[in-house]
Amino acid sequence: WEGKGLLSAFQTGCTTKESFRLAQLEALVRMLGEHECDFVDALGRDLHKPRFETVVSELLLVKNEALHAINSLKKWMQPQRVERNLSTTLDDCLVVSEPLGVVLIMGTWCSPVLFCLGPLVGAIAAGNCAVISPSEHTSHTAELLHRLVPSYLDSECFHVILAGTNDLADIVELKFDHVFFGSRVAQAAARTFTPVTLILGGKNPCYVDQQCDITATAQRIAWARFHNAGQSVVAPDYVLCHVDVKTRLVRALKCCLMQFYGSDPRESRSFGRMVNLEIINRTRDMLWRSGKVAVGGQVIEAEKYIAPTILTEVVETDPIMQHDVFGPVLPVLTVNTLDEAITFINKQEKPLCVYAYSSNSKVISRLMSETSSGSFCSNDSVLQSVMVGLPFGGVGASGMGSYHGRYSFDAFSHRKSCLLRGTRFECVTYLRYPPYEDRNLSLMTWASTLSQKSQGWCQIL
């Protein structure tokens, strides 16, 4: 691919036209529909991902993002008027969204279609040219995107590159206008002052109160943790279980695993595999050195298989609690009070998600307000991260920036402030001109000072 070619394409202004943006978004929707089977096959090869998971958690989510953008694009593109004060009564105060230019979107292996094409929707809607770099660890999906994208999207404005991890820093040195999911090359981006959106994950806590529906709680936690064989940045990373419900919760989780995957999950068509040996070995080492296996624990390296596993008797210093878990392992810790749970969560780095299960609204309210995280969800997991109307992103150690829906459009736009004035008030604005006089200063001070009760003549200049 040629970076200068993309820049030249952007400079023609073709991507800024509403008709162009709509056409590209509609083409993206067609690509997903016409090649559903190809995507299912590619993700099956890369992750042993069940068709159900591929369609629901990858293709459908991207399609919904694109359809939402198509339906909302005209409104998003309109300048936003800002409330005027006395000094701008006859002027226009506007915020205009303009495209950034040429952006780089780096996919991840845990959701290789969603994390490539989801952000691309925002880049297209905002009027940018884009380079998509799928993860090398999901090679079949990467090769499929490399083949399909030029057949559906404008090949002068959108490129897919097959690059290894070692190549990405050099690619970023070419100076993009924005890098999305840039954790692997954040330092390289910083050297060129390239803004980034980072989704870094983190250890997502899941508090289970004694006042909750244990059966529904177990089902929703098990689905979220073991979906895609646990390879997810938004899955519950560990459970903080009230001591009164630990036994019942662990028993309910075991029942869920039997219900979801049968007596031998290795034979289940609904359970995936790990992406590579590096992730297998890392997860296995943490698993075997932490807590006590309540169910699961089997590892078959040759098949890239780790059984869905629940750990009990886990303590804060165990290896499984010191690192992010990208595998089908759920540690269960106990706490005696809600205060203890909140203290435990706040001792850690700010996570991408906090989950709370309780039928007591006061418990939910306290966890939501007294902890900090990229997102929060009560009595369910993951769903808050896929809703087009909610921004999704991290805070602190779990990332910066957000996307989804309008927030994706804003992530790939520069919000330019515009003041459109005339020259009719020169009889007032002359007060700012030299030679400076005390009388003029007094008038300017009086006219420009905000009142505690009203805006006043702010910014008379």
Side-chain angles (χ1 to χ4, degrees):
W1 69 283
E2 293 291 337
K4 291 183 178 179
L6 284 171
L7 181 59
S8 297
F10 176 73
Q11 290 173 340
T12 66
C14 66
T15 62
T16 64
K17 298 176 182 177
E18 181 184 356
S19 58
F20 177 87
R21 305 185 199 191
L22 288 172
Q24 301 305 301
L25 292 170
E26 290 165 354
L28 188 60
V29 172
R30 286 199 309 275
M31 182 183 78
L32 294 171
E34 294 173 3
H35 293 276
E36 177 182 305
C37 291
D38 294 322
F39 282 109
V40 169
D41 179 69
L43 284 163
R45 291 170 179 264
D46 288 328
L47 293 164
H48 198 72
K49 199 162 191 173
R51 180 177 182 274
F52 186 97
E53 289 187 4
T54 294
V55 173
V56 172
S57 65
E58 301 255 9
L59 306 184
L60 181 59
L61 294 183
V62 176
K63 187 180 296 184
N64 283 343
E65 285 280 346
L67 292 173
H68 180 64
I70 290 169
N71 294 334
S72 308
L73 186 60
K74 182 178 289 292
K75 178 181 178 181
W76 293 349
M77 291 179 64
Q78 291 175 351
Q80 294 180 324
R81 295 188 178 275
V82 177
E83 183 179 354
R84 293 178 291 187
N85 56 35
L86 289 174
S87 67
T88 58
T89 299
L90 299 179
D91 303 326
D92 282 328
C93 297
L94 307 172
V95 177
V96 175
S97 295
E98 60 181 23
L100 295 174
V102 181
V103 302
L104 173 63
I105 298 169
M106 296 193 300
T108 65
W109 49 264
C110 56
S111 295
V113 175
L114 178 63
F115 285 162
C116 280
L117 301 186
L120 179 62
V121 170
I124 294 172
N128 298 278
C129 290
V131 174
I132 304 103
S133 175
S135 172
E136 63 181 317
H137 299 301
T138 48
S139 58
H140 295 92
T141 305
E143 289 167 3
L144 180 62
L145 290 170
H146 186 259
R147 175 169 62 87
L148 291 182
V149 168
S151 301
Y152 283 84
L153 302 187
D154 189 300
S155 59
E156 293 185 357
C157 300
F158 305 102
H159 293 175
V160 177
I161 58 172
L162 301 179
T165 302
N166 295 331
D167 302 321
L168 292 176
D170 293 334
I171 293 171
V172 174
E173 293 285 356
L174 298 174
K175 186 64 177 78
F176 289 88
D177 295 291
H178 194 87
V179 175
F180 207 89
F181 288 126
S183 59
R184 289 172 288 170
V185 290
Q187 291 182 343
R191 287 196 296 271
T192 57
F193 300 101
T194 302
V196 297
T197 299
L198 300 178
I199 308 294
L200 301 179
K203 296 195 70 62
N204 305 319
C206 178
Y207 174 70
V208 178
D209 190 43
Q210 69 266 45
Q211 299 180 59
C212 71
D213 182 328
I214 288 294
T215 300
T217 295
Q219 289 177 328
R220 296 180 183 191
I221 293 175
W223 169 79
R225 174 68 272 181
F226 302 112
H227 174 92
N228 196 31
Q231 297 165 109
S232 169
V233 296
V234 295
D237 212 78
Y238 61 95
V239 169
L240 288 176
C241 173
H242 196 282
V243 67
D244 292 344
V245 299
K246 174 192 172 184
T247 301
R248 288 187 292 136
L249 177 63
V250 172
R251 183 167 59 244
L253 288 168
K254 290 180 180 179
C255 291
C256 288
L257 294 182
M258 176 67 72
Q259 177 186 345
F260 290 175
Y261 309 116
S263 58
D264 186 1
R266 180 185 170 200
E267 302 296 327
S268 172
R269 297 175 57 189
S270 298
F271 189 71
R273 295 294 185 272
M274 308 300 289
V275 67
N276 56 37
L277 293 179
E278 178 185 352
I279 301 298
I280 288 177
N281 293 333
R282 179 175 176 271
T283 305
R284 178 192 59 201
D285 291 345
M286 290 190 292
L287 163 63
W288 287 354
R289 294 162 52 208
S290 304
K292 177 182 178 182
V293 174
V295 63
Q298 298 83 12
V299 178
I300 304 178
E301 187 175 301
E303 298 181 15
K304 295 191 288 188
Y305 171 79
I306 297 179
T309 301
I310 298 169
L311 291 178
T312 58
E313 300 181 22
V314 177
V315 296
E316 189 176 356
T317 55
D318 282 346
I320 202 76
M321 295 300 297
Q322 302 304 311
H323 306 280
D324 295 355
V325 180
F326 286 102
V329 181
L330 181 64
V332 177
L333 295 83
T334 57
V335 291
N336 293 298
T337 65
L338 175 61
D339 288 335
E340 186 180 335
I342 292 173
T343 299
F344 188 98
I345 293 170
N346 289 335
K347 280 197 303 183
Q348 321 302 319
E349 295 280 11
K350 294 181 180 180
L352 191 57
C353 317
V354 167
Y355 300 114
Y357 287 82
S358 177
S359 57
N360 186 332
S361 61
K362 292 182 179 179
V363 170
I364 299 301
S365 180
R366 284 197 60 192
L367 279 159
M368 184 171 65
S369 62
E370 296 180 29
T371 64
S372 179
S373 57
S375 64
F376 177 86
C377 183
S378 67
N379 295 310
D380 213 331
S381 301
V382 175
L383 295 188
Q384 86 290 347
S385 69
V386 299
M387 297 183 65
V388 295
L390 290 175
F392 176 67
V395 59
S398 59
M400 65 179 71
S402 60
Y403 78 116
H404 280 331
R406 174 68 196 240
Y407 304 96
S408 290
F409 180 88
D410 289 341
F412 289 104
S413 298
H414 166 59
R415 295 172 62 79
K416 181 167 65 177
S417 58
C418 302
L419 175 61
L420 308 181
R421 304 202 74 187
T423 57
R424 285 169 289 181
F425 283 102
E426 194 64 17
C427 60
V428 177
T429 56
Y430 84 93
L431 293 171
R432 72 190 183 191
Y433 302 144
Y436 301 125
E437 302 288 345
D438 288 345
R439 177 178 178 276
N440 289 1
L441 176 59
S442 297
L443 289 171
M444 285 289 295
T445 302
W446 169 78
S448 302
T449 301
L450 283 172
S451 167
Q452 290 185 349
K453 296 182 179 180
S454 62
Q455 289 187 343
W457 283 67
C458 181
Q459 299 300 327
I460 195 170
L461 304 182

